[in-house]
């Protein structure tokens, strides 16, 4: 399994990049969507949230009242940590399941895990590569104001609530510079996909050879397949040079 962590600040153009990668054949898994799935009515996570925070965070139909829950956790760090302790493991488990399903037919398929808060919450240790979609702060503010009709002060607050550009770039293996035209961004993304596909094929090939060697050495106990997990630092590397656009580290 070859898993790419895709992240970027608000209005950086991550949606464009993820859609293009999916068009090229990558499996796209959206962390935000999984986070909604794990708290649907009847799920263990929602039951645990209700036990911790009370039935007041539930709507009349049994679904989660996100506004009511947000009013609690955004003003109470301990409550927020309790919530994360419930939801993060559930999202982690579901994401691993979706990754396995996405690569069951093709172990060399690129899996793109779309994580807006990768730096802030997820960490980089489980990914073979980290891709950051980057546009300067001023460009993103302008996009939020002109394209989304957002007040400039509100746009600034939302950007400031996320990791800084420097923090994201410090963990990047590959950077897509989305500050130019759409065609330029798509061309960078196509070049990135070609490189990721090569790396994914190489990893799948190495795993297959290792599994065959295991089977030959001990046919009774060899695993049918072997997944080699990536080895990465869990913390952003502040002293790391900024990768050039679309040219990642090998």
């Amino acid at each position: 399994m070859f898993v790419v962590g895709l992240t970027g600040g608000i209005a950086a153009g991550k949606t464009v990049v993820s859609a293009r990668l999916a068009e090229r054949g990558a499996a796209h898994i959206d962390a935000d969507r999984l986070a909604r799935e794990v708290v649907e009515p009847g799920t263990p996570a929602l039951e645990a949230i209700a036990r911790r925070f009370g039935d007041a965070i539930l709507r009349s139909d049994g679904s989660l009242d996100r506004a009511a829950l947000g009013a609690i956790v955004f003003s109470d760090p301990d409550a927020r940590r309790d919530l994360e302790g419930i939801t993060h493991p559930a999202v982690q488990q579901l994401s691993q399941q979706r990754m396995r399903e996405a690569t069951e037919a093709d172990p060399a398929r690129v899996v793109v895990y779309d994580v807006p808060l990768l730096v802030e919450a997820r960490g980089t240790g489980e990914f073979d590569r980290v891709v950051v979609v980057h546009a300067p702060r001023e460009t993103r503010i302008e996009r939020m104001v002109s394209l989304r009709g957002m007040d400039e002060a509100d746009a600034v607050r939302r950007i400031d609530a996320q990791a800084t550009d420097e923090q994201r770039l410090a963990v990047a293996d590959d950077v897509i510079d989305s500050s130019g035209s759409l065609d330029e961004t798509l061309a960078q993304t196509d070049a990135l996909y070609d490189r990721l596909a090569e790396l994914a094929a190489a990893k799948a090939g190495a795993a297959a050879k290792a599994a065959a060697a295991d089977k030959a050495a001990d046919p009774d106990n060899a695993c049918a397949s072997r997944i080699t997990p990536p080895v990465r630092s869990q913390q952003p590397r502040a002293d790391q040079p900024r990768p050039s656009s679309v040219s990642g580290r090998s």
Side-chain angles (χ1 to χ4, degrees):
M1 185 186 304
F2 187 87
V3 184
V4 177
L6 178 69
T7 193
I10 186 171
K14 186 167 54 63
T15 300
V16 170
V17 172
S18 63
R20 184 64 160 200
L21 291 172
E23 287 176 9
R24 291 294 308 276
H28 177 238
I29 300 174
D30 188 334
D32 282 346
R33 186 172 299 172
L34 298 186
R36 291 191 291 272
E37 286 187 39
V38 299
V39 294
E40 288 178 350
T43 58
L46 184 57
E47 293 174 2
I49 291 171
R51 285 196 300 270
R52 166 61 179 83
F53 297 100
D55 290 342
I57 54 88
L58 297 177
R59 299 180 184 276
S60 58
D61 62 358
S63 63
L64 179 64
D65 187 332
R66 296 180 180 277
L69 181 60
I72 298 172
V73 301
F74 289 139
S75 59
D76 184 344
D78 290 334
R80 185 172 66 252
R81 282 190 288 271
D82 288 346
L83 176 63
E84 291 170 349
I86 296 169
T87 58
H88 286 185
V91 171
Q92 176 85 4
Q93 181 178 7
L94 183 57
S95 67
Q96 291 295 324
Q97 175 187 329
R98 295 290 165 80
M99 290 174 190
R100 289 192 297 270
E101 293 170 350
T103 56
E104 185 175 5
D106 181 8
R109 188 181 188 188
V110 175
V111 176
V112 175
Y113 192 56
D114 193 333
V115 195
L117 301 181
L118 183 149
V119 173
E120 296 89 334
R122 184 83 181 199
T124 63
E126 67 192 279
F127 303 113
D128 293 279
R129 305 285 286 188
V130 171
V131 175
V132 172
V133 183
H134 173 72
R137 173 188 175 91
E138 295 73 19
T139 300
R140 293 190 286 129
I141 293 173
E142 181 182 353
R143 288 173 179 172
M144 294 168 73
V145 172
S146 62
L147 300 179
R148 304 186 185 187
M150 194 174 294
D151 177 80
E152 183 173 345
D154 189 23
V156 170
R157 280 194 297 271
R158 294 191 181 213
I159 287 177
D160 288 344
Q162 295 186 331
T164 66
D165 290 342
E166 291 73 20
Q167 288 172 322
R168 275 188 293 268
L169 292 171
V171 302
D173 294 302
D174 303 278
V175 177
I176 297 291
D177 181 358
S178 64
S179 60
S181 68
L182 176 61
D183 286 343
E184 290 171 338
T185 299
L186 294 178
Q188 292 177 68
T189 306
D190 285 340
L192 172 67
Y193 177 80
D194 291 340
R195 184 166 60 255
L196 295 176
E198 291 179 0
L199 293 171
K203 183 177 182 181
K209 288 181 180 179
D214 284 348
K215 185 174 182 179
D218 188 354
D220 293 329
N221 297 310
C223 295
S225 64
R226 174 185 294 182
I227 297 175
T228 305
V231 178
R232 301 178 56 92
S233 169
Q234 289 284 357
Q235 299 298 326
R237 292 153 287 181
D239 59 343
Q240 175 182 308
R242 172 177 169 178
S244 58
S245 298
V246 221
S247 61
R249 299 190 300 277
S250 301

